Amino acid sequence: MLDYYYEPCDKSTSSIGGGVPELASPVLLSENENALDGNHSHGGPGHAKIQWPERSGETTPSRGESGYGDNGSYMSQPITSVVNNSTTCDLDHSGKDKSFALDRRKPPPEPYTMRDRQNLHRLLDILKGPQSSHEHIYEAYSRLPSPGVEYLSNEERHLLLHRLSVIEVKTKKAMLRYLRLVDDVKAASTPLKLSEWNTALAYAGRCFPRVEAPQVESALHIWKEMEQDAGVRSGSTTFNILFDIATKAGKYVLAKMILKEMNARGVEYSRFSYVGFIYYHGLKGDGTGVRKAYRDLVDAGGVVDTAVMNCVIASLIRSGEPSAAEQVYERMKRMLHEKTGQTVPSSDWRQERKLGRDLDRAFRTMRSDRQQLDQLQAEQCLAPNLRTFSIFMDYHVHITGELRRVAALLHEMQHLDIPLNGRIFLKVFKGFARHGGVKYTAWTTQRLETVWEALLQASDEGIEGVHIMKWMVIWVIRAFARCSGQERVLQVWEEIRDRWKVVDDDEKGAVEHLLRNVLEEASAERKHQ
């Protein structure tokens, strides 16, 4: 069990005072239920064994290749040493970093053409623009001779890596861009900071909707390269990322090994670590473990915000306790009404990211100052936000099929002044695609048309967060195919095609292929009638 390696916080540590939603009611928590057994302590033996995935027959790609396959799996390591075929690796706990020759950097070359100079200045101007997209930044960088990082100062190189690390949802394309840049950094024999290695780990393991074995293997190889070849020691964030990847892949034994390694090195848990433990128990369907991990976060001095409560709600639902999740949700609404002058927390992902980092920093620096922690906790607004409603929407769309409850959630969003977002529209169309088209269903064609009109209006008015993208188009087609006839599907396709922001030909081809299949299935059904 994870519990053997998960060391609970010291109960003598000052806990946060009022303002924290308590999960210790008879319905939500039994105090004598201990989700953690065993007494593993920090500062274990001098060495621990980590089983690295075995890789053989690897080759170095040509200049400019990523070194990472289309499925996110690790293919090779340009410039740096190829992964050792040995499956067992000793990790030194002495605290001494291995020497690494990356600091022997050659002076950066001068741009040798006027065009190169212009491209360099263009890239630097784009990097200074706070709203520059990843695509725009990487396209400008790609115009430099390879490896382009040789033309950048240390500060400019770190800024480039940072800009490509900040993203709302990690995707395959974003992963390939970042890891190609990492390959260029290694090709130029320049060092990567720990935070940049951490980003590479996160991209390798989290860039696909489902985390599976290839992503886990990629992350482990990057981790090995970071520690053994580059001599960069892992920190709390590194272990949090590895633990999260292993957990999402269902590799619970590996997750325990990672946590054991973290404990053996004496690396302290961060606030993100405790939130990860909540998520872990939710994936395992352990409601008691969810409550215990939440209690340990509070006892350790972690400030609770809406993101933590959303993790608790999602984890309780995964544990088969939706009624307990609803109670947490109702408690959050009551706390909002009790605190006059407070508004619903922002759903802007950048602000949420900054708040999470600020609270983690406070967790590390203020743990012994109860008064400051109490004040910081009192400042937090624990009201439901867009993510909260998205969690419950998912549950009712995929599990219960209760349109009445979905409509009630939409009404509550309106009451709390939370604007409809594209992801909410997407979930509602999923509901029609799953539950419509049958007798006596509440997911009727008329109601589908109402939602469709609302989407078109929001899109035409340029409502923030409402965009016609690939998955929106797919689920709209599926919803009308389920609830309406072939003719209506074609009409909807004509309406949505003009509003669709096509990213590339692959997306367009996938949707057109789906449309053909839908029309063929509808035609076949008519022949059998």
Side-chain angles (χ1 to χ4, degrees):
M1 292 179 64
L2 166 72
D3 308 322
Y4 179 75
Y5 302 117
Y6 172 15
E7 181 188 7
C9 63
D10 183 356
K11 297 304 179 185
S12 63
T13 305
S14 298
S15 61
I16 301 177
V20 179
E22 181 59 64
L23 301 186
S25 66
V27 176
L28 291 177
L29 175 65
S30 174
E31 288 289 353
N32 54 16
E33 288 279 347
N34 190 351
L36 308 171
D37 51 36
N39 294 306
H40 184 79
S41 60
H42 290 301
H47 290 78
K49 297 288 187 179
I50 294 292
Q51 300 296 321
W52 303 106
E54 186 170 351
R55 286 295 236 182
S56 59
E58 294 178 337
T59 58
T60 302
S62 61
R63 193 177 196 181
E65 287 186 69
S66 163
Y68 298 85
D70 286 344
N71 67 345
S73 61
Y74 192 95
M75 294 171 57
S76 58
Q77 296 182 40
I79 304 304
T80 55
S81 58
V82 177
V83 176
N84 195 308
N85 288 334
S86 173
T87 58
T88 303
C89 164
D90 284 332
L91 297 181
D92 185 7
H93 292 171
S94 64
K96 297 180 180 179
D97 292 344
K98 296 181 180 180
S99 61
F100 191 60
L102 282 181
D103 56 349
R104 299 200 300 268
R105 180 187 177 189
K106 297 180 295 184
E110 288 292 332
Y112 51 86
T113 69
M114 181 61 70
R115 182 179 295 274
D116 293 333
R117 271 193 196 87
Q118 291 172 347
N119 288 335
L120 177 58
H121 290 309
R122 177 172 176 265
L123 170 62
L124 297 180
D125 287 340
I126 291 173
L127 282 176
K128 294 175 185 176
Q131 301 302 321
S132 300
S133 67
H134 283 205
E135 292 82 3
H136 199 192
I137 293 171
Y138 190 75
E139 184 273 334
Y141 170 76
S142 300
R143 291 177 178 271
L144 297 178
S146 180
V149 293
E150 290 190 338
Y151 294 87
L152 304 176
S153 67
N154 288 340
E155 182 180 353
E156 291 162 353
R157 184 180 71 251
H158 293 313
L159 175 60
L160 174 61
L161 286 160
H162 172 71
R163 291 298 302 275
L164 293 183
S165 72
V166 180
I167 191 170
E168 181 177 11
V169 179
K170 292 178 173 60
T171 64
K172 172 184 169 182
K173 289 184 178 180
M175 176 269 292
L176 291 174
R177 280 193 295 264
Y178 191 87
L179 295 186
R180 284 169 184 157
L181 182 57
V182 168
D183 281 347
D184 280 358
V185 172
K186 293 189 293 182
S189 297
T190 53
L192 289 162
K193 297 192 299 186
L194 174 59
S195 60
E196 293 160 355
W197 281 109
N198 288 341
T199 300
L201 280 172
Y203 266 122
R206 297 171 175 169
C207 65
F208 293 92
R210 292 178 60 86
V211 181
E212 297 179 340
Q215 289 77 54
V216 175
E217 186 178 354
S218 297
L220 290 177
H221 274 299
I222 293 174
W223 184 33
K224 177 183 179 182
E225 182 182 352
M226 180 189 90
E227 292 224 331
Q228 290 197 316
D229 297 337
V232 177
R233 300 288 290 171
S234 300
S236 174
T237 301
T238 312
F239 285 108
N240 291 343
I241 293 169
L242 291 169
F243 181 80
D244 180 68
I245 292 170
T247 297
K248 288 179 177 176
K251 309 285 186 182
Y252 300 123
V253 173
L254 176 61
K256 290 189 293 184
M257 293 175 63
I258 291 168
L259 206 58
K260 183 178 182 180
E261 181 73 13
M262 184 179 183
N263 288 330
R265 296 188 186 194
V267 178
E268 293 187 351
Y269 297 147
S270 68
R271 179 175 176 273
F272 290 121
S273 301
Y274 285 101
V275 177
F277 299 150
I278 297 172
Y279 187 81
Y280 169 92
H281 287 293
L283 286 181
K284 293 192 73 177
D286 179 8
T288 300
V290 169
R291 299 177 181 91
K292 185 64 172 67
Y294 172 82
R295 192 68 252 168
D296 283 339
L297 167 66
V298 175
D299 290 342
V303 175
V304 176
D305 65 346
T306 296
V308 172
M309 301 312 300
N310 286 342
C311 184
V312 170
I313 288 172
S315 298
L316 288 173
I317 289 176
R318 288 192 186 99
S319 301
E321 301 186 38
S323 60
E326 290 278 0
Q327 290 182 41
V328 175
Y329 168 66
E330 293 297 330
R331 222 171 269 181
M332 292 170 71
K333 289 196 298 182
R334 286 200 301 271
M335 293 184 71
L336 174 64
H337 296 315
E338 290 169 0
K339 291 188 175 182
T340 58
Q342 285 198 337
T343 58
V344 174
S346 171
S347 294
D348 180 80
W349 66 272
R350 288 184 178 84
Q351 293 185 28
E352 291 179 350
R353 178 178 182 269
K354 182 180 183 302
L355 176 61
R357 288 170 172 250
D358 289 344
L359 294 180
D360 186 63
R361 192 178 301 110
F363 177 81
R364 288 184 274 108
T365 59
M366 301 180 183
R367 292 178 69 170
S368 60
D369 192 332
R370 175 167 180 169
Q371 185 175 359
Q372 278 192 312
L373 288 174
D374 286 348
Q375 181 179 351
L376 188 58
Q377 181 63 68
E379 294 172 357
Q380 302 308 309
C381 178
L382 301 181
N385 63 2
L386 182 63
R387 174 62 181 156
T388 315
F389 288 100
S390 181
I391 293 168
F392 282 109
M393 287 280 190
D394 267 334
Y395 171 67
H396 291 295
V397 163
H398 291 91
I399 306 299
T400 69
E402 293 183 11
L403 181 60
R404 183 174 61 179
R405 186 62 187 128
V406 170
L409 289 168
L410 292 173
H411 177 73
E412 289 176 11
M413 285 181 63
Q414 184 178 13
H415 177 70
L416 294 174
D417 291 327
I418 300 176
L420 276 178
N421 184 277
R423 73 181 71 171
I424 299 297
F425 276 109
L426 182 64
K427 295 178 192 306
V428 175
F429 283 116
K430 279 185 180 182
F432 282 100
R434 290 175 177 273
H435 307 292
V438 295
K439 288 183 177 181
Y440 311 118
T441 181
W443 303 81
T444 62
T445 303
Q446 183 180 2
R447 287 172 174 151
L448 173 59
E449 292 287 355
T450 301
V451 176
W452 170 240
E453 290 173 6
L455 172 64
L456 293 182
Q457 181 179 351
S459 175
D460 293 343
E461 292 177 358
I463 301 299
E464 186 178 359
V466 179
H467 306 290
I468 306 297
M469 306 294 283
K470 171 188 170 183
W471 287 107
M472 183 72 78
V473 176
I474 287 175
W475 283 105
V476 165
I477 290 175
R478 286 176 173 169
F480 277 96
R482 183 70 181 263
C483 299
S484 306
Q486 182 180 21
E487 181 179 353
R488 183 59 182 137
V489 170
L490 288 173
Q491 291 172 353
V492 167
W493 167 244
E494 291 298 327
E495 290 180 78
I496 202 170
R497 183 168 57 181
D498 296 335
R499 296 174 171 87
W500 178 20
K501 299 178 181 178
V502 182
V503 175
D504 54 39
D505 292 338
D506 290 341
E507 283 195 357
K508 184 178 180 181
V511 173
E512 290 177 345
H513 177 71
L514 170 68
L515 180 62
R516 286 194 296 271
N517 288 343
V518 166
L519 296 177
E520 289 173 1
E521 290 173 3
S523 178
E525 288 179 2
R526 284 200 308 273
K527 290 180 181 179
H528 289 294
Q529 290 176 353

